[in-house]
Amino acid sequence: MRLPGESFCRTQLPRVSRTFALNIPLLPGPLDLAVTVAYLLCRIADTLEDEAPGALQGPLLDELGELVCLGPDWESRASSFARRAGLALRPEVPEAEAELVARTLTVLETLAALPSWVHPHIARCVRTMTGGMRQMQRLYGGDSQVMGLPDLQATFMYCYYVAGVVGEMLTGLFIAGSPSVAPRQERLAPRALAFGRALQLTNILKDVREDLDRGSCWLPRDRMSAHGLTPATLALPGSRARAVALMEELVAVARRELDAALEYTLALPADEPGLRLFCLYPLFFAVMTLNTLEGNPAVFDPTPVKMSREAVGMLMQLTQERVASDDALRALYAECSRAQAGVAEWR
């Protein structure tokens, strides 16, 4: 029997994320639906951050952080929130993201219908994320978009708020949802943040030109300055050699975080292939994405640099074949870290 809003959530997921539409369905129930709902709520927050003016996004983020607690009168408050948030979005917002914001109440209805052990993990994640987004905007953006963060520590802090906290949430859900995961908490917890940081830093590097065109930049200004760059000059044709050198430096940082992400994944029980594959897909996609970015000046061009569909399919097959073997996965990780992924239209 389907829960209220479940059909919308499952249908909307591939419309707002092709990547997570591949790995979330691999989770056992009810984790698959819980993580779908959590992703959609985080995506609503991300849409507000990207698509709403700074002066409006802060109060809306605060309100979303309150709504996920499902406090008194949350249904009517969610309907009001969705109307006001929709009006705040810029006209160019992607249609699927605008629809998701408009259906905030539906997503929250699905959250409310999930088992009670799911709720505190998702609520804490979204509250931390929205509060962190608000803090970063207040510290570094004012009433406009953030154009560079002071240093790598600040970039990592941003990565925590928008992704590291998701790693914490997932770990809590895995432990609560699978008895075989609970004994591994001491191995998982210290690596959960690195997993989130790795994926988010990879996204920041991949989307650097798209963010700049939107008026945002999440790279550390001190590292840009060390290469004679600023957010305003980063994508200029005359800055390509320096920008590529900066990218290589930050790719190396992301690779170190991915090393910890691999250890996180291998700490999950081999007899829980759905949990492992859920982590392995984005982990290996990130490895190959970094391969396409390293030494590639095209990352600063308007046309996005993307993995090929063939590379995506290959990685899915290879990880499925090796999911139960730590040694085989380590070998595959080492091989992929040295490989060069194809560039084509996939996201």
Side-chain angles (χ1 to χ4, degrees), residues 235-286:
L236 296 179
S239 302
R240 281 295 188 268
R242 287 171 288 153
V244 167
L246 169 68
M247 181 65 66
E248 290 180 345
E249 177 183 334
L250 296 177
V251 163
V253 174
R255 289 193 190 279
R256 290 195 293 271
E257 297 296 302
L258 284 175
D259 291 345
L262 175 67
E263 297 307 313
Y264 176 93
T265 304
L266 297 183
L268 293 167
D271 61 359
E272 287 280 9
L275 300 187
R276 280 196 162 196
L277 288 171
F278 171 83
C279 296
L280 287 169
Y281 282 8
L283 168 62
F284 278 91
F285 294 164

Short mmCIF file of all heavy atoms in Angstrom, two decimals, residues 235-286:
data_model
loop_
_atom_site.label_atom_id
_atom_site.label_comp_id
_atom_site.label_asym_id
_atom_site.label_seq_id
_atom_site.Cartn_x
_atom_site.Cartn_y
_atom_site.Cartn_z
N ALA A 235 37.05 32.65 -15.03
CA ALA A 235 36.64 32.03 -16.29
C ALA A 235 37.10 32.79 -17.53
O ALA A 235 36.74 32.41 -18.65
CB ALA A 235 35.12 31.88 -16.31
N LEU A 236 37.90 33.84 -17.36
CA LEU A 236 38.36 34.59 -18.52
C LEU A 236 39.33 33.76 -19.35
O LEU A 236 40.17 33.04 -18.80
CB LEU A 236 39.04 35.89 -18.07
CG LEU A 236 38.16 36.92 -17.36
CD1 LEU A 236 38.99 38.13 -16.96
CD2 LEU A 236 36.99 37.34 -18.26
N PRO A 237 39.25 33.83 -20.68
CA PRO A 237 40.16 33.04 -21.52
C PRO A 237 41.63 33.25 -21.19
O PRO A 237 42.42 32.31 -21.25
CB PRO A 237 39.82 33.52 -22.94
CG PRO A 237 38.39 33.98 -22.84
CD PRO A 237 38.26 34.59 -21.48
N GLY A 238 42.00 34.48 -20.84
CA GLY A 238 43.40 34.75 -20.53
C GLY A 238 43.88 34.15 -19.22
O GLY A 238 45.09 34.17 -18.93
N SER A 239 42.96 33.61 -18.43
CA SER A 239 43.31 33.04 -17.12
C SER A 239 43.36 31.52 -17.15
O SER A 239 43.53 30.90 -16.10
CB SER A 239 42.29 33.48 -16.06
OG SER A 239 42.21 34.88 -15.96
N ARG A 240 43.23 30.91 -18.32
CA ARG A 240 43.05 29.46 -18.39
C ARG A 240 44.16 28.66 -17.69
O ARG A 240 43.89 27.74 -16.93
CB ARG A 240 42.92 29.01 -19.83
CG ARG A 240 41.57 29.23 -20.45
CD ARG A 240 40.49 28.37 -19.77
NE ARG A 240 39.23 28.44 -20.49
CZ ARG A 240 38.27 29.31 -20.23
NH1 ARG A 240 38.43 30.19 -19.25
NH2 ARG A 240 37.15 29.31 -20.92
N ALA A 241 45.41 28.99 -17.96
CA ALA A 241 46.51 28.19 -17.38
C ALA A 241 46.47 28.26 -15.86
O ALA A 241 46.64 27.25 -15.16
CB ALA A 241 47.85 28.68 -17.92
N ARG A 242 46.26 29.46 -15.30
CA ARG A 242 46.21 29.60 -13.85
C ARG A 242 44.97 28.93 -13.27
O ARG A 242 45.02 28.31 -12.20
CB ARG A 242 46.24 31.09 -13.48
CG ARG A 242 47.61 31.74 -13.69
CD ARG A 242 47.54 33.24 -13.52
NE ARG A 242 46.84 33.87 -14.63
CZ ARG A 242 46.19 35.01 -14.56
NH1 ARG A 242 46.09 35.66 -13.40
NH2 ARG A 242 45.60 35.53 -15.63
N ALA A 243 43.85 29.02 -13.99
CA ALA A 243 42.63 28.39 -13.51
C ALA A 243 42.76 26.87 -13.51
O ALA A 243 42.28 26.19 -12.59
CB ALA A 243 41.44 28.82 -14.38
N VAL A 244 43.41 26.32 -14.52
CA VAL A 244 43.63 24.87 -14.57
C VAL A 244 44.53 24.44 -13.42
O VAL A 244 44.31 23.39 -12.80
CB VAL A 244 44.22 24.46 -15.93
CG1 VAL A 244 44.74 23.03 -15.89
CG2 VAL A 244 43.16 24.61 -17.03
N ALA A 245 45.56 25.22 -13.11
CA ALA A 245 46.44 24.89 -11.99
C ALA A 245 45.67 24.90 -10.66
O ALA A 245 45.87 24.04 -9.81
CB ALA A 245 47.60 25.87 -11.94
N LEU A 246 44.79 25.88 -10.50
CA LEU A 246 43.94 25.92 -9.31
C LEU A 246 43.06 24.68 -9.25
O LEU A 246 42.92 24.05 -8.19
CB LEU A 246 43.08 27.18 -9.33
CG LEU A 246 41.95 27.25 -8.29
CD1 LEU A 246 42.52 27.38 -6.89
CD2 LEU A 246 41.01 28.42 -8.60
N MET A 247 42.45 24.33 -10.38
CA MET A 247 41.58 23.17 -10.42
C MET A 247 42.34 21.90 -10.04
O MET A 247 41.84 21.06 -9.28
CB MET A 247 40.98 23.03 -11.82
CG MET A 247 40.01 21.87 -11.99
SD MET A 247 38.51 22.02 -11.00
CE MET A 247 37.73 23.44 -11.77
N GLU A 248 43.56 21.75 -10.53
CA GLU A 248 44.35 20.56 -10.21
C GLU A 248 44.62 20.48 -8.71
O GLU A 248 44.58 19.39 -8.11
CB GLU A 248 45.65 20.57 -11.00
CG GLU A 248 45.45 20.32 -12.49
CD GLU A 248 46.76 20.34 -13.26
OE1 GLU A 248 47.77 20.82 -12.70
OE2 GLU A 248 46.76 19.89 -14.42
N GLU A 249 44.89 21.62 -8.09
CA GLU A 249 45.12 21.64 -6.65
C GLU A 249 43.88 21.19 -5.88
O GLU A 249 43.96 20.39 -4.94
CB GLU A 249 45.51 23.06 -6.22
CG GLU A 249 45.72 23.23 -4.72
CD GLU A 249 46.03 24.67 -4.34
OE1 GLU A 249 46.56 25.42 -5.20
OE2 GLU A 249 45.73 25.05 -3.19
N LEU A 250 42.71 21.68 -6.29
CA LEU A 250 41.48 21.35 -5.58
C LEU A 250 40.99 19.94 -5.90
O LEU A 250 40.37 19.28 -5.06
CB LEU A 250 40.40 22.38 -5.90
CG LEU A 250 40.73 23.80 -5.41
CD1 LEU A 250 39.65 24.79 -5.84
CD2 LEU A 250 40.90 23.83 -3.89
N VAL A 251 41.27 19.46 -7.09
CA VAL A 251 40.96 18.07 -7.43
C VAL A 251 41.73 17.13 -6.51
O VAL A 251 41.20 16.11 -6.05
CB VAL A 251 41.27 17.77 -8.91
CG1 VAL A 251 41.34 16.26 -9.17
CG2 VAL A 251 40.20 18.40 -9.81
N ALA A 252 42.98 17.46 -6.23
CA ALA A 252 43.78 16.62 -5.33
C ALA A 252 43.16 16.57 -3.94
O ALA A 252 43.16 15.52 -3.27
CB ALA A 252 45.22 17.15 -5.25
N VAL A 253 42.62 17.69 -3.47
CA VAL A 253 41.93 17.72 -2.18
C VAL A 253 40.71 16.82 -2.22
O VAL A 253 40.46 16.03 -1.30
CB VAL A 253 41.52 19.17 -1.82
CG1 VAL A 253 40.67 19.17 -0.55
CG2 VAL A 253 42.75 20.04 -1.64
N ALA A 254 39.92 16.92 -3.29
CA ALA A 254 38.72 16.09 -3.42
C ALA A 254 39.08 14.61 -3.47
O ALA A 254 38.36 13.77 -2.89
CB ALA A 254 37.94 16.49 -4.67
N ARG A 255 40.18 14.27 -4.11
CA ARG A 255 40.58 12.86 -4.18
C ARG A 255 40.91 12.31 -2.79
O ARG A 255 40.59 11.15 -2.47
CB ARG A 255 41.77 12.68 -5.12
CG ARG A 255 41.45 12.87 -6.59
CD ARG A 255 42.59 12.39 -7.46
NE ARG A 255 42.42 12.76 -8.85
CZ ARG A 255 41.66 12.10 -9.73
NH1 ARG A 255 40.97 11.05 -9.31
NH2 ARG A 255 41.58 12.50 -10.99
N ARG A 256 41.53 13.10 -1.95
CA ARG A 256 41.83 12.64 -0.59
C ARG A 256 40.54 12.38 0.19
O ARG A 256 40.45 11.42 0.96
CB ARG A 256 42.69 13.67 0.14
CG ARG A 256 44.11 13.77 -0.39
CD ARG A 256 45.02 14.50 0.58
NE ARG A 256 44.67 15.91 0.70
CZ ARG A 256 45.17 16.87 -0.07
NH1 ARG A 256 46.01 16.57 -1.06
NH2 ARG A 256 44.81 18.14 0.10
N GLU A 257 39.55 13.22 -0.02
CA GLU A 257 38.25 13.00 0.63
C GLU A 257 37.58 11.73 0.08
O GLU A 257 36.94 11.00 0.83
CB GLU A 257 37.35 14.22 0.42
CG GLU A 257 37.87 15.49 1.04
CD GLU A 257 37.94 15.41 2.55
OE1 GLU A 257 36.91 15.16 3.18
OE2 GLU A 257 39.04 15.58 3.10
N LEU A 258 37.73 11.47 -1.20
CA LEU A 258 37.15 10.27 -1.78
C LEU A 258 37.80 9.00 -1.23
O LEU A 258 37.14 7.96 -1.12
CB LEU A 258 37.27 10.30 -3.31
CG LEU A 258 36.29 11.21 -4.04
CD1 LEU A 258 36.59 11.24 -5.53
CD2 LEU A 258 34.85 10.77 -3.81
N ASP A 259 39.08 9.07 -0.89
CA ASP A 259 39.74 7.92 -0.27
C ASP A 259 39.01 7.53 1.02
O ASP A 259 38.79 6.34 1.30
CB ASP A 259 41.20 8.24 0.05
CG ASP A 259 42.06 8.38 -1.21
OD1 ASP A 259 41.61 7.97 -2.30
OD2 ASP A 259 43.18 8.94 -1.09
N ALA A 260 38.64 8.54 1.81
CA ALA A 260 37.89 8.27 3.05
C ALA A 260 36.49 7.77 2.73
O ALA A 260 35.94 6.93 3.45
CB ALA A 260 37.84 9.53 3.91
N ALA A 261 35.90 8.27 1.65
CA ALA A 261 34.56 7.82 1.25
C ALA A 261 34.57 6.34 0.88
O ALA A 261 33.61 5.61 1.15
CB ALA A 261 34.07 8.66 0.08
N LEU A 262 35.65 5.89 0.26
CA LEU A 262 35.76 4.46 -0.06
C LEU A 262 35.78 3.64 1.22
O LEU A 262 35.11 2.60 1.32
CB LEU A 262 37.02 4.20 -0.88
CG LEU A 262 37.30 2.72 -1.17
CD1 LEU A 262 36.23 2.15 -2.10
CD2 LEU A 262 38.69 2.54 -1.79
N GLU A 263 36.55 4.08 2.21
CA GLU A 263 36.61 3.35 3.47
C GLU A 263 35.25 3.33 4.17
O GLU A 263 34.89 2.33 4.81
CB GLU A 263 37.67 3.96 4.40
CG GLU A 263 39.09 3.88 3.84
CD GLU A 263 39.47 2.46 3.42
OE1 GLU A 263 39.21 1.52 4.21
OE2 GLU A 263 40.00 2.29 2.31
N TYR A 264 34.50 4.41 4.07
CA TYR A 264 33.14 4.45 4.61
C TYR A 264 32.30 3.34 3.95
O TYR A 264 31.61 2.57 4.62
CB TYR A 264 32.51 5.81 4.36
CG TYR A 264 31.06 5.91 4.81
CD1 TYR A 264 30.74 6.37 6.08
CD2 TYR A 264 30.01 5.54 3.96
CE1 TYR A 264 29.41 6.45 6.50
CE2 TYR A 264 28.69 5.62 4.37
CZ TYR A 264 28.40 6.08 5.64
OH TYR A 264 27.09 6.14 6.05
N THR A 265 32.36 3.28 2.64
CA THR A 265 31.55 2.31 1.91
C THR A 265 31.92 0.89 2.27
O THR A 265 31.05 0.03 2.46
CB THR A 265 31.71 2.54 0.40
OG1 THR A 265 31.37 3.90 0.09
CG2 THR A 265 30.82 1.60 -0.39
N LEU A 266 33.21 0.61 2.39
CA LEU A 266 33.66 -0.74 2.71
C LEU A 266 33.35 -1.12 4.15
O LEU A 266 33.37 -2.30 4.50
CB LEU A 266 35.15 -0.88 2.43
CG LEU A 266 35.57 -0.69 0.96
CD1 LEU A 266 37.07 -0.91 0.79
CD2 LEU A 266 34.78 -1.60 0.04
N ALA A 267 33.07 -0.13 4.99
CA ALA A 267 32.66 -0.41 6.37
C ALA A 267 31.22 -0.91 6.44
O ALA A 267 30.81 -1.47 7.46
CB ALA A 267 32.83 0.83 7.24
N LEU A 268 30.45 -0.71 5.38
CA LEU A 268 29.09 -1.25 5.34
C LEU A 268 29.15 -2.75 5.11
O LEU A 268 30.05 -3.24 4.41
CB LEU A 268 28.29 -0.57 4.22
CG LEU A 268 27.99 0.91 4.41
CD1 LEU A 268 27.48 1.52 3.11
CD2 LEU A 268 26.98 1.11 5.53
N PRO A 269 28.22 -3.52 5.68
CA PRO A 269 28.28 -4.99 5.56
C PRO A 269 28.17 -5.44 4.11
O PRO A 269 27.37 -4.91 3.33
CB PRO A 269 27.06 -5.47 6.37
CG PRO A 269 26.65 -4.31 7.22
CD PRO A 269 27.07 -3.07 6.49
N ALA A 270 28.96 -6.43 3.75
CA ALA A 270 28.91 -6.98 2.40
C ALA A 270 27.58 -7.66 2.12
O ALA A 270 27.19 -7.81 0.95
CB ALA A 270 30.05 -7.96 2.18
N ASP A 271 26.86 -8.06 3.18
CA ASP A 271 25.57 -8.70 2.98
C ASP A 271 24.44 -7.68 2.88
O ASP A 271 23.26 -8.04 2.93
CB ASP A 271 25.27 -9.71 4.09
CG ASP A 271 25.20 -9.09 5.48
OD1 ASP A 271 25.41 -7.86 5.59
OD2 ASP A 271 24.95 -9.82 6.45
N GLU A 272 24.79 -6.40 2.75
CA GLU A 272 23.82 -5.34 2.47
C GLU A 272 24.20 -4.68 1.14
O GLU A 272 24.63 -3.53 1.08
CB GLU A 272 23.80 -4.30 3.59
CG GLU A 272 23.16 -4.76 4.88
CD GLU A 272 21.62 -4.68 4.81
OE1 GLU A 272 21.08 -4.43 3.72
OE2 GLU A 272 21.00 -4.86 5.87
N PRO A 273 24.06 -5.42 0.02
CA PRO A 273 24.52 -4.87 -1.27
C PRO A 273 23.80 -3.58 -1.67
O PRO A 273 24.40 -2.73 -2.32
CB PRO A 273 24.22 -6.01 -2.26
CG PRO A 273 23.15 -6.82 -1.60
CD PRO A 273 23.44 -6.75 -0.13
N GLY A 274 22.54 -3.43 -1.27
CA GLY A 274 21.84 -2.21 -1.63
C GLY A 274 22.46 -0.99 -0.99
O GLY A 274 22.62 0.06 -1.63
N LEU A 275 22.87 -1.10 0.28
CA LEU A 275 23.52 0.02 0.96
C LEU A 275 24.86 0.32 0.31
O LEU A 275 25.22 1.49 0.10
CB LEU A 275 23.73 -0.29 2.44
CG LEU A 275 22.49 -0.58 3.29
CD1 LEU A 275 22.88 -0.70 4.77
CD2 LEU A 275 21.43 0.48 3.12
N ARG A 276 25.61 -0.72 0.01
CA ARG A 276 26.93 -0.51 -0.61
C ARG A 276 26.80 0.13 -1.99
O ARG A 276 27.52 1.09 -2.31
CB ARG A 276 27.67 -1.84 -0.71
CG ARG A 276 28.33 -2.29 0.58
CD ARG A 276 29.34 -3.38 0.32
NE ARG A 276 30.26 -3.51 1.46
CZ ARG A 276 31.42 -4.15 1.41
NH1 ARG A 276 31.81 -4.71 0.27
NH2 ARG A 276 32.20 -4.20 2.46
N LEU A 277 25.92 -0.38 -2.82
CA LEU A 277 25.77 0.18 -4.17
C LEU A 277 25.26 1.61 -4.11
O LEU A 277 25.64 2.44 -4.94
CB LEU A 277 24.84 -0.69 -5.00
CG LEU A 277 25.42 -2.04 -5.45
CD1 LEU A 277 24.35 -2.90 -6.08
CD2 LEU A 277 26.59 -1.84 -6.41
N PHE A 278 24.39 1.90 -3.14
CA PHE A 278 23.93 3.27 -2.97
C PHE A 278 25.10 4.23 -2.82
O PHE A 278 25.08 5.35 -3.34
CB PHE A 278 23.02 3.36 -1.74
CG PHE A 278 22.66 4.76 -1.34
CD1 PHE A 278 21.62 5.42 -1.96
CD2 PHE A 278 23.38 5.43 -0.36
CE1 PHE A 278 21.29 6.73 -1.60
CE2 PHE A 278 23.06 6.72 0.00
CZ PHE A 278 22.02 7.37 -0.61
N CYS A 279 26.14 3.80 -2.11
CA CYS A 279 27.33 4.63 -1.91
C CYS A 279 28.32 4.50 -3.06
O CYS A 279 28.98 5.48 -3.42
CB CYS A 279 28.03 4.24 -0.60
SG CYS A 279 27.05 4.55 0.88
N LEU A 280 28.43 3.31 -3.62
CA LEU A 280 29.43 3.08 -4.65
C LEU A 280 29.16 3.86 -5.93
O LEU A 280 30.09 4.37 -6.56
CB LEU A 280 29.52 1.58 -4.97
CG LEU A 280 30.20 0.71 -3.92
CD1 LEU A 280 29.97 -0.77 -4.22
CD2 LEU A 280 31.70 1.02 -3.83
N TYR A 281 27.90 3.94 -6.33
CA TYR A 281 27.61 4.66 -7.57
C TYR A 281 28.11 6.11 -7.52
O TYR A 281 28.93 6.51 -8.36
CB TYR A 281 26.11 4.64 -7.86
CG TYR A 281 25.56 3.36 -8.44
CD1 TYR A 281 26.32 2.21 -8.54
CD2 TYR A 281 24.24 3.29 -8.87
CE1 TYR A 281 25.80 1.04 -9.05
CE2 TYR A 281 23.70 2.12 -9.39
CZ TYR A 281 24.48 1.00 -9.49
OH TYR A 281 23.96 -0.16 -10.00
N PRO A 282 27.67 6.93 -6.57
CA PRO A 282 28.16 8.32 -6.58
C PRO A 282 29.65 8.43 -6.29
O PRO A 282 30.31 9.35 -6.78
CB PRO A 282 27.33 9.00 -5.48
CG PRO A 282 26.83 7.90 -4.62
CD PRO A 282 26.64 6.72 -5.52
N LEU A 283 30.19 7.48 -5.52
CA LEU A 283 31.63 7.50 -5.25
C LEU A 283 32.42 7.34 -6.53
O LEU A 283 33.32 8.14 -6.84
CB LEU A 283 31.98 6.38 -4.26
CG LEU A 283 33.46 6.05 -4.07
CD1 LEU A 283 34.22 7.23 -3.51
CD2 LEU A 283 33.62 4.84 -3.16
N PHE A 284 32.09 6.34 -7.33
CA PHE A 284 32.83 6.11 -8.57
C PHE A 284 32.49 7.15 -9.63
O PHE A 284 33.35 7.52 -10.44
CB PHE A 284 32.59 4.69 -9.08
CG PHE A 284 33.46 3.66 -8.40
CD1 PHE A 284 33.02 3.01 -7.27
CD2 PHE A 284 34.74 3.41 -8.87
CE1 PHE A 284 33.83 2.09 -6.63
CE2 PHE A 284 35.56 2.48 -8.25
CZ PHE A 284 35.11 1.81 -7.10
N PHE A 285 31.25 7.66 -9.64
CA PHE A 285 30.95 8.76 -10.55
C PHE A 285 31.83 9.96 -10.22
O PHE A 285 32.30 10.66 -11.13
CB PHE A 285 29.48 9.17 -10.44
CG PHE A 285 28.49 8.12 -10.89
CD1 PHE A 285 27.15 8.22 -10.53
CD2 PHE A 285 28.89 7.05 -11.66
CE1 PHE A 285 26.23 7.28 -10.94
CE2 PHE A 285 27.98 6.08 -12.08
CZ PHE A 285 26.64 6.20 -11.72
N ALA A 286 32.04 10.22 -8.93
CA ALA A 286 32.87 11.36 -8.53
C ALA A 286 34.32 11.15 -8.96
O ALA A 286 34.98 12.09 -9.42
CB ALA A 286 32.79 11.56 -7.01
#
